[in-house]
Amino acid sequence: MLSFIGRSIIQKIITLFFVSVVSFLIIHLAPGKPSQVDPMNPKFTPEMVERFRLEFHLDKPLHTQYLYFYRDLFTGKTVSWKDNQSVLKKIWERFLNSLPLFIVGTILTWTLSFPIGIRSAIFRGGFYDRSTTFLAYLLISIPGFFFAYILIIFVVTHFHVPVIGMETFGLGASSWIRVAMDRVWHLLIPSILGATGGIAVLSRYVRSQMLEVEGQDYVRTARAKGLPPDQVHYKHALRNALLPFVTMFGLILPGLIGGSVIIESIFSWPGMGRMAYEAILARDYPVILTVNFVSAVLVLAGTFISDLLYLVVDPRIRL
Amino acid sequence: MTKVEKIEINDYQTTNHEFLAPRRTRLKEFWHLFKQNRLAIAGLVIFVLFFITALAGLFLTSGHDPVFDPALVRLQEKLRSPFSQPKIDTLMPHEIPTVGVYVMGTDDLGRDVFARMLQGAWVSLTVGFVAVGISVFVGIFMGGIAGYFGQNHIRLDHILMVCLLFAAGIFIAMGEFFSGSAFLIVFLASVLLLFRSMNKMEMRGMSKWYGILKKDTISIDTLIMRIVDIMLCFPSFFLILTVVALLPASIYNIMIIIGLTSWMGTTRFVRAEFLSLREQDFVTAARALGVGNFRIIFRHMMPNAIAPVLVSATIGIATAILTEAGLSFLGFGVPPPHATWGNILSDGKRFIFDAPWLTFIPGIAILIVVLCFNLFGEGLRDTLNPKLKERH
Amino acid sequence: MTVKRILILAPLLVLVFLLQSYLWVPTYEQQTRGNPDRLNEFIAASIGDASLLNPILTADTASSQIEGMVFEGLIDRDENLYFRGRLASSWDVYEEAYFYVNDAASIPGRGKMPGEEIVDLLIRAKHENDLPDPGLKDALRNIMEVSAIPPREFEVFRSEKIPGELKEKRRIKINIKAPARIKLRLTSVDQDLFRHLTKILGANYFASFRGEQYISTEPDVSGVRLAEYAGELVPATENNPVLVFHLRPNVRFHDGHVFDANDVKFTFDAIMNPKNLSPRIADYEPVKTVEVIDPLTVRIVYKRLYSPAIGTWGMGILPEHILNHEALKKEAGRLGKDPDKFGMRQSTFNRHPVGCGPFVFQDWKSDQYITLKWFDGYWEGPPNYKRYMFRIIPDLLTQEMEFYAGTIDSYGVQPHQVNRLKTDPRFQCFSGASFGYTYIGYNMRRAPFDNPEVRKALGMAIDVDKIIDYVLYSQGEKITGPFVKQTDYYNHGIKPVPYDPAGALRLLAKAGWKPNKEGWLQKDGKKLQFTLITNSGNDLRKAILAIAQDAWRQIGIDVRTDLLEWSVFLQERVDKADFDALILGWSMGIEPDLYQIWHSSQTRPHQLNFVGFKNKEADELIIKIRQEYDREKQVKYCHILHEIIAREQPYTFLYVSKWTAVLDKRIVIRETDDKGNVVYKKITPTKTGNYNFYFNKWIKLRDAPDFSADG
């Protein structure tokens, strides 16, 4: 057990190292220069450009730049080129903004998908199954921003209430509950938009897993025993179908930092995805690289956790 | 083998039209099962229609004097609604739309949306197919190697040589041709040395250093799976966005990048299939007959492993079309002059109050096509899944 | 079954909770009626976030918008775009001119003269009444004082690159034995002074002055470098315009500290400090010294004649007491940073600015909003709005939706929406021409663009009216030259290039381009073929690209088009002048200084005259304009320059776009008249089209007022 943990941690660190090298190379070898070093701005003289290059170590060879960058990152000193703010602080701020969206989305996804998926597995081929299949794929297939715009326009023109951003501006001195509820309202549409895709995918997955399990002997036995159908499906079958979801649950961790660029841009939600997108536009290398690094760490941590969960949950796996 | 018999019996029972059902080929059986999934059939039909449209689009909108000219700007006719009559007197003869009316209206430059949608169908389809083609190719290649040759180990000298080759490449890329070619020469020399020593391996006593060079490091399987792990660490849309934003915008870059960031799934299950197929009797038999490795891989194993790849490719095309639309929304999609449904949609969204058709026509078209790809893929998966067959 | 119930009930409860929040959210009407605070608040929106809130460190629009409200400059522009005093109540401009006594030159009719005698000569000439030359007479009358400066010796140190070495630099000691010098104090700046003086001192008096003989260096440098040092250290003549600002007394920063001349000097020093990497450093390069005469007087001496420099004092003034060396050191200590590496760029001031503008900074959430509060100690009286919110909404369509929902007070309309929103009874609409134009630029180094006739023909083939009508939805105006159309520098007498494809073909035929069998234009067996490029991500330019390609194809020119990503477009194509023709836009300052874009010395790679426009006459005018301090003369020169550029057609000038903004109709101007009564007025744009010039007087009312009675 311990040796498994040790081995997998070492393996993940090596992977992380390669990820850091690859992302560093991708960004630094691409054409285009950071926007602060903007030679087109008439106010930038060549000397200024040169000075910026010195300031950001852009004149150093790549491997030195690499070392500098990761040294700064691990000592928490990385600053954004755009505004000199600490990158880790920025990421933390954005993370807190993305968190409510993530939590609501995750709760909706990981609860609703199961009853929907199980029901359509039970009535396989029936009307319910076919209509949920159709609906699920409809939701997966719709371009996200198209859907978002339709929803926004519908709500604004019919209900005349603001939906963009994290809160209504200009509320003034309202009671706390009003302010809180206002924030909840602004959470509604983006989180539902975020959850629909998740529900569609996950419910399909639940369905197929349940189908695998429903044919097994022990389920048939349970049914033959005369147990109520709900108990058969939700206790005997679901428990055994759950195993693969343990892996998936570990993989939602990166969603914490991923965020959806498109949804966040449309709703001007100041989350992670938007920060990363703006950093790409501004060629703010430290932010891009740090976001990349942190999300790689989360992916690896997620897989690690799901490996561990497997060990705990599945009695057949012993190391 | 028992399973197959069981299926046949069940089939016979469920479809008992004749007492003795004729033995069906695999394809016929597949079709029989597939037919029962009406959604999948609808998906297939739309897929075929879309394919025909796209092909027609290619022929009708390209060339010097196309039937429908998607690039023709008629500023006086901008933002006309669908099925509106052109104002003949303000137009030059070649500017009058081919069918007499603007079937899908015109956009903010007065270009015929119908022509653009036709052209976009082909481009979107190409983006989807090429991107998925790349990803499937890389996926099968990597997965096949990992699954079939996975147990072989990479030796130290291999790594050294790859390093040399890389160093040469980097130096040449940096413009230092002298040191670059020096590395290249050393690389070629060591390749030669390696081949020579392979022939004479038994004759010469291995020196100590030589032994170290021949030391095994990691297996090919581990290497490839670690590469897959590394690739999976990047958040995929973010990675695509970064690369597309940093590279010059071009349709090829987008196809290649979408392809190169989505091969990991294919690799994983091709490898899994190969690992299990390798141990099967028919492969052992083929090997015993002295069939070459590549023939075994492509003639014997691949057909048995291809089904899940097909399913994921179908769904992959749908995803690629959606990804392209998302990139277009952020301003990094396929650049003009190529029209894609994604960039027609994202260009049109500014006019959603003044010309809603510019948003809804491409939006709904994408929705329908992606939906049909998904349903078709799902149908395929259901039909090909042996565990589920017996229940019909 | 509990699991099933939980799995169904939990999400339903969450959803119900989310949905009920709708009942708490104010609708468009409720926002203003149920909530008096909302009326005292102005909410603006922007696509991008500010980067830093320090006027000397930033140059982007979002930052400048906030900085303009928090900080205040010495001067700004009034309704007519003339300068107006803000922190400075008034200012004087005069000149100090110098020239070295040229021992070698002999003065006509008098021979060689030492310094004192020249002083006498000039004073006598000034009082002579019957001078033949009126120009000379004016120039002499303009002289207030003449004095002689005795010869002096001094030494300076310079470091310069060693020839042949890349990084190494060497220190050079320069000894100067300067001869006597004459100082002239002029009542107003006169760029022609020395030209006129040659009529007294002899045509070659200044030209024959050799500075090299007065300097020696250790180690020795070669001839060219020596001449350069001589030109810099012992120039034959020198014009030093002087700008004296008289500051407004009792102006306070937001933290209560009194503003004085030291803050002005500090702001200047901060810009010039290389550690701060200020993007504005180039604007202040002509400044020689900034002196504090007394707490309310600043004297700025310039190295040379450069009239646009006055405008740079509209720059927001920083509070010295927060940002000086000691304060930064203390801050570094507090934050636990290395004081040596801690500069203004690292200071938290940039996110919590303190200025003396009408609004006090309150709060900034990145990519969300910036809030400002009114400054009740503002010298001109506090603004009407108590709060100013700056929201960041990156998507235009959602910005529009927020405007409809009532949570943004103004919205920058896109051209195609103008007609729809103009008629909406809820809103009021303003529009005006912007300070920037869009053009097609031709690479004049390449054939066939080296021929002005060809360039004109290309322009004639494009129907600019059609572009304005159909692409810009009439939200644009034709432009014929590079000056801001609202200013008097712009020569309204120049006719735009007409749309005339047939005429274009005639001009091209004259240049040798004739149609071949397939209809393509051809000269010496070569097809007229080139590539038109622009950057991706700009819909208007994309549309113009398509239109231009189409228009040129009509007359038989084979044009290819290419869209390039912005940085690639600039670095690979524009900077290296590797293009045939391109579509770009310039945003202009009000100052008529065209040096960087049009002077022939600016055609090298990475410079802005990338089309390679070279015209001797234009060069002279460009220099004259930037040296002229008299507005009327400047206007005269500008009109001539405008004519030259319109004749040469280095660009096909397309249009200036018009912006349109909509405001909630309930926003009005509130003023208090002399008797102390409150008066409401409709917001009207100024002559130059600036509708928020009186922003500090705006206020939102509960109901839309009816101004129909007073028209």
Side-chain angles (χ1 to χ4, degrees), chain B residues 58-81:
Chain B
L58 174 68
F59 289 115
L60 293 178
T61 60
S62 58
H64 187 66
D65 188 24
V67 181
F68 297 98
D69 189 350
L72 185 69
V73 175
R74 331 172 175 78
L75 286 175
Q76 59 275 44
E77 294 278 87
K78 68 186 167 173
L79 300 188
R80 301 292 306 275
S81 55

Side-chain angles (χ1 to χ4, degrees), chain B residues 143-216:
Chain B
I145 289 181
Y148 194 80
F149 297 110
Q151 263 58 14
N152 297 9
H153 281 70
I154 297 174
R155 290 186 319 243
L156 211 55
D157 51 351
H158 292 151
I159 296 180
L160 273 179
M161 266 195 285
V162 170
C163 286
L164 279 176
L165 193 63
F166 255 100
I170 286 175
F171 273 111
I172 288 175
M174 279 164 64
E176 298 187 19
F177 291 101
F178 181 74
S179 33
S181 32
F183 271 103
L184 208 64
I185 289 166
V186 174
F187 166 73
L188 290 175
S190 54
V191 171
L192 273 178
L193 202 75
L194 197 77
F195 271 106
R196 265 191 52 190
S197 61
M198 243 149 97
N199 299 337
K200 300 178 186 170
M201 196 154 9
E202 273 74 42
M203 301 199 269
R204 204 188 287 170
M206 282 190 197
S207 73
K208 207 170 88 191
W209 286 107
Y210 198 67
I212 288 176
L213 275 184
K214 289 282 174 209
K215 219 171 164 74
D216 288 345

Side-chain angles (χ1 to χ4, degrees), chain A residues 124 129-130 133-134 137 204 207 211, chain B residues 29-44 307-308 310-312 314-315 370-386 388-389 392:
Chain A
R124 185 185 185 206
D129 180 31
R130 270 185 288 146
T133 307
F134 185 74
Y137 277 110
R204 299 305 304 156
R207 174 181 173 272
L211 283 180
Chain B
E29 185 196 324
F30 164 78
W31 178 242
H32 172 73
L33 282 172
F34 189 78
K35 252 192 328 201
Q36 295 171 352
N37 191 338
R38 259 187 283 164
L39 282 176
I41 290 288
L44 180 66
L310 272 184
V311 173
S312 84
T314 318
I315 293 173
V370 172
L371 182 64
C372 88
F373 270 94
N374 278 327
L375 290 176
F376 177 55
E378 167 79 8
L380 269 186
R381 195 208 318 264
D382 254 15
T383 322
L384 292 170
N385 188 345
L388 303 176
K389 273 182 196 167
H392 269 286

